[in-house]
Amino acid sequence: RGGNLDNFRAEFAELGVPAVLVTNDGSTLGFDNLSSVYIDVRKAAQQGGVHPFHLDRISSAFAARIELIPNLEEGRELMGEMMLNYCRLVRQHALRNYSPPVQKAVTYIEAEPAADLHLQHLARTLNVSAGYLSTLFHKETGKTVTEYVTDVRMDTAANLLRHTQLQVQTVAQHCGIGDVNYFSKVFKRHFGLTPRQFREEHLAQRM
């Protein structure tokens, strides 16, 4: 997004991504077209070992949004967001080094951020003991289940605040947190801003 596009271009130059992005109003950006970028970064993420579940989920959402790009600025915003999310997928969710229980846990947490994701419930869902899952998960991901769940929920919240007009309480519910005051405290600890401040800052950056 914005000034980060040069970093994304450098990361994906070896993919042969074309040079000019054309939006549906005739404006152009620094790539050939957004659909080409979309295809190439998806391929790169797949080659990086990202599970198809994650790719299908994120790709469907971006494909729908690409069809609705109205202008240059929206195209620039979407391209940055898309590349950032695919980079994050490769960094955080490539599963080739995870054992099957951790793969399943990560997939479940990512797919159901609003669900009951307490360790005991997650272990029952995966049919393993809580102690075993806790130890294995921390060993392989470097985070506790609780830390990982919090990260996923906060990333989900940030995306909703950036790209929807949902009330903060509704955003919290989408992240599995019923108490909006507690949600706001966790969000501020995670990002250094309250949810409302985060949304306002994002809107200001787009103006």
Side-chain angles (χ1 to χ4, degrees):
R1 183 180 298 111
N4 291 325
L5 288 176
D6 287 340
N7 293 334
F8 291 133
R9 183 185 293 109
E11 290 188 36
F12 288 96
E14 63 185 80
L15 297 175
V17 178
V20 180
L21 168 63
V22 181
T23 62
N24 61 16
D25 70 346
S27 303
T28 60
L29 272 172
F31 294 112
D32 189 28
N33 59 65
L34 192 52
S35 295
S36 294
V37 178
Y38 161 80
I39 292 169
D40 283 329
V41 294
R42 181 191 162 99
K43 287 180 179 178
Q46 186 171 357
Q47 291 168 2
V50 178
H51 193 281
F53 175 87
H54 299 296
L55 288 175
D56 290 343
R57 186 160 62 102
I58 191 173
S59 297
S60 296
F62 280 123
R65 291 173 64 187
I66 287 171
E67 296 297 323
L68 302 175
I69 296 172
N71 53 51
L72 173 68
E73 184 58 34
E74 291 294 324
R76 186 188 306 276
E77 178 78 10
L78 181 57
M79 182 168 67
E81 180 192 345
M82 181 172 65
M83 288 184 147
L84 180 62
N85 276 270
Y86 277 109
C87 287
R88 184 178 294 133
L89 277 176
V90 173
R91 289 196 306 267
Q92 296 182 351
H93 305 303
L95 302 182
R96 59 190 172 195
N97 295 321
Y98 289 169
S99 62
V102 174
Q103 289 183 27
K104 292 177 182 178
V106 167
T107 299
Y108 185 81
I109 292 167
E110 290 281 347
E112 303 289 346
D116 180 356
L117 297 176
H118 289 95
L119 174 62
Q120 296 289 343
H121 178 79
L122 192 60
R124 286 196 300 272
T125 300
L126 301 178
N127 197 30
V128 296
S129 73
Y132 173 73
L133 179 61
S134 176
T135 300
L136 191 64
F137 194 95
H138 186 269
K139 177 182 178 181
E140 295 186 10
T141 69
K143 299 179 180 180
T144 66
V145 169
T146 299
E147 289 170 342
Y148 195 92
V149 168
T150 298
D151 285 349
V152 168
R153 285 176 166 170
M154 292 302 100
D155 283 347
T156 299
N159 282 329
L160 290 172
L161 290 167
R162 287 190 190 102
H163 304 297
T164 76
Q165 296 302 313
L166 294 174
Q167 295 183 351
V168 173
Q169 183 173 354
T170 304
V171 172
Q173 291 170 351
H174 278 287
C175 298
I177 302 175
D179 185 336
V180 67
N181 292 323
Y182 175 72
F183 166 77
S184 295
K185 290 179 181 178
V186 174
F187 190 93
K188 185 173 183 178
R189 186 163 62 241
H190 200 83
F191 290 104
L193 298 168
T194 68
R196 287 185 176 83
Q197 289 170 336
F198 183 90
R199 174 175 274 165
E200 290 170 359
E201 181 176 280
H202 178 72
L203 289 174
Q205 291 175 352
R206 295 182 60 182
M207 294 179 64

